[in-house]
Amino acid sequence: MVNYKDLGLVNTREMFKRAINGGYAIPAFNFNNMEQLQAIIKASSDMKSPVILQVSKGARNYANATLLRYMAQGAVEYAKELGCAHPEIALHLDHGDSFETCKSCVDYGFSSVMIDGSSLPYEENIALTKKVVEYAHQFDVTVEAELGVLAGVEDEVAAAESHYTKPEEVIDFATRTGCDSLAISIGTSHGAYKFTPEQCTRDPKTGKLVPPPLAFDVLDAIMEKLPGFPIVLHGSSSVPQEYVDIINEHGGKLPDAVGIPEEQLRKASKSAVCKINIDSDSRLAFTAAVRKVFDEKPGEFDPRKYCGPARDEMEKMYKHKIVDVLGSDNKLAQLD
Ligand code: G3H
Ligand code: 13P
Ligand code: ZN
């Protein structure tokens, strides 16, 4: 049993409280490898932003759970080396699918876990979430739950309102589970194809897809039911078209990839939405940089020569999200 406090990590409670009161959101960036982690820590330390390092089940399988935890511990030391004397870094399980996975992360030094019971019937979601909360809170680990189903383009009824979080359920859910934050569904979705072309309009000048707006009316109704309660947005990559273009120009094939416009995330950040999840944008930044090097320098075979530019591009992207979209720069409790 390792407690996250011994690793220099923090849970999400205080950072969320300050984010809601201050009208900004904390970035939650997924990582699977060293370059992503380096870029996240460099960006958040330089910008003096609290940050949530997210580890998915896929990341645990890909990179090894033990290694990832030590990498997060190393990240705290790296942030200090970069001049952040008091970094605020949470290590969070993304989309935990069982009590056992959540327990193992709590026991392993995670400071926050998500139990994603959103695909379960309502009462089963409550029972599972409550069980995770009861265990995690013994160790002061915070718990994110999910209510409502995030649409996917594979889903026939992607934008159907029946998938959105039902505002009339949130008080009962939050009260009975005791969760610390709630991921909601208001039209975001995972991946680089968040909307089908049929759900979008097309910009006549660029030919690019313009996605439909998020359901801010649902968010407002949820906030009215749970004033000041921490709300989380998953699936919040913007799918920057400059990366899509670079990828497509250098041998890739991502037709009609489309994300959530940044101005909508900026608007959400000013509300009780205090955690915004971004993974796909990092994958796109990485892939764009690597494809460019491979295309322009076919003789290159030193991974540092293409992973290095990929890391730089991700750092640039993370800084942009922190400063220009989420507004979490200079928000560490102790800036010196
Ligand atoms: O929500 C999903 C995250 O983007 C993680 O994706 O399961 O492929 O690691 P993954
Ligand atoms: P994106 O695929 O939009 O980056 O969402 C990531 C996410 O929600 C991780 O939980
Ligand atoms: Zn997610």
Side-chain angles (χ1 to χ4, degrees):
M1 174 96 205
V2 183
N3 190 278
Y4 68 88
K5 291 173 188 169
D6 298 327
L7 308 181
L9 299 164
V10 298
N11 69 20
T12 57
R13 197 168 290 122
E14 288 305 313
M15 59 169 89
F16 284 174
K17 205 182 286 172
R18 297 202 316 269
I20 294 172
N21 292 336
Y24 60 93
I26 308 291
F29 297 133
N30 290 65
F31 80 105
N32 294 267
N33 62 36
M34 184 187 74
E35 283 79 7
Q36 276 178 314
L37 186 59
Q38 286 176 313
I40 294 168
I41 296 302
K42 184 78 172 51
S44 56
S45 299
D46 283 359
M47 296 300 110
K48 306 277 183 217
S49 170
V51 72
I52 298 170
L53 302 175
Q54 299 209 126
V55 172
S56 70
K57 191 180 173 185
R60 277 161 59 96
N61 291 339
Y62 175 79
N64 180 278
T66 307
L67 196 52
L68 287 174
R69 191 249 288 167
Y70 280 106
M71 283 170 76
Q73 185 177 2
V76 175
E77 299 310 314
Y78 180 41
K80 288 181 187 165
E81 234 178 76
L82 290 168
C84 242
H86 303 282
E88 289 171 52
I89 302 174
L91 179 61
H92 175 79
L93 169 68
D94 193 24
H95 294 283
D97 59 355
S98 67
F99 172 77
E100 289 70 28
T101 307
C102 292
K103 179 182 181 301
S104 121
C105 286
V106 170
D107 295 349
Y108 233 69
F110 279 57
S111 61
S112 177
V113 291
M114 175 189 193
I115 177 68
D116 183 354
S118 61
S119 60
L120 298 173
Y122 182 71
E123 287 298 329
E124 285 177 39
N125 187 0
I126 288 192
L128 177 60
T129 303
K130 188 169 185 287
K131 190 174 171 189
V132 170
V133 168
E134 280 168 0
Y135 185 76
H137 280 186
Q138 293 176 65
F139 307 97
D140 207 18
V141 169
T142 38
V143 179
E144 175 184 324
E146 180 165 335
L147 198 51
V149 178
L150 256 67
V153 284
E154 70 281 3
D155 191 328
E156 295 275 296
V157 279
E161 268 186 42
S162 59
H163 283 224
Y164 292 163
T165 304
K166 295 189 179 92
E168 63 274 21
E169 288 181 346
V170 297
I171 297 179
D172 182 61
F173 186 87
T175 313
R176 286 172 63 199
T177 61
C179 64
D180 300 284
S181 59
L182 186 63
I184 60 163
S185 170
I186 56 166
T188 63
S189 69
H190 293 108
Y193 293 89
K194 298 195 187 298
F195 303 98
T196 60
E198 295 71 42
Q199 292 173 305
C200 303
T201 51
R202 220 174 258 280
D203 184 321
K205 276 197 203 117
T206 61
K208 296 278 187 188
L209 294 176
V210 180
L214 296 179
F216 279 99
D217 54 332
V218 176
L219 173 62
D220 287 344
I222 291 168
M223 292 193 299
E224 207 177 300
K225 300 275 184 194
L226 288 176
F229 194 82
I231 302 296
V232 176
L233 281 192
H234 280 247
S236 295
S237 277
S238 304
V239 187
Q241 292 302 301
E242 59 268 33
Y243 293 147
V244 174
D245 290 344
I246 293 172
I247 290 170
N248 290 338
E249 278 158 22
H250 294 281
K253 207 171 177 190
L254 293 178
D256 286 340
V258 66
I260 310 297
E262 288 184 339
E263 62 269 18
Q264 296 195 34
L265 298 170
R266 228 172 265 129
K267 180 175 168 185
S269 300
K270 295 192 168 81
S271 71
V273 169
C274 58
K275 172 176 180 271
I276 291 195
N277 287 11
I278 295 171
D279 185 3
S280 298
D281 285 354
S282 162
R283 298 177 183 195
L284 291 166
F286 195 112
T287 303
V290 169
R291 274 200 179 277
K292 193 162 184 289
V293 175
F294 281 173
D295 197 16
E296 291 172 355
K297 298 178 188 162
E300 196 53 75
F301 68 99
D302 177 347
R304 292 171 299 187
K305 298 286 167 46
Y306 49 87
C307 288
R311 184 178 62 189
D312 294 346
E313 197 54 56
M314 289 188 291
E315 181 189 327
K316 205 169 87 187
M317 185 276 293
Y318 291 134
K319 281 184 173 162
H320 165 66
K321 298 288 177 184
I322 287 170
V323 176
D324 304 318
V325 185
L326 278 63
S328 64
D329 51 314
N330 292 311
K331 298 298 191 305
L332 288 173
Q334 280 181 267
L335 285 169
D336 52 351

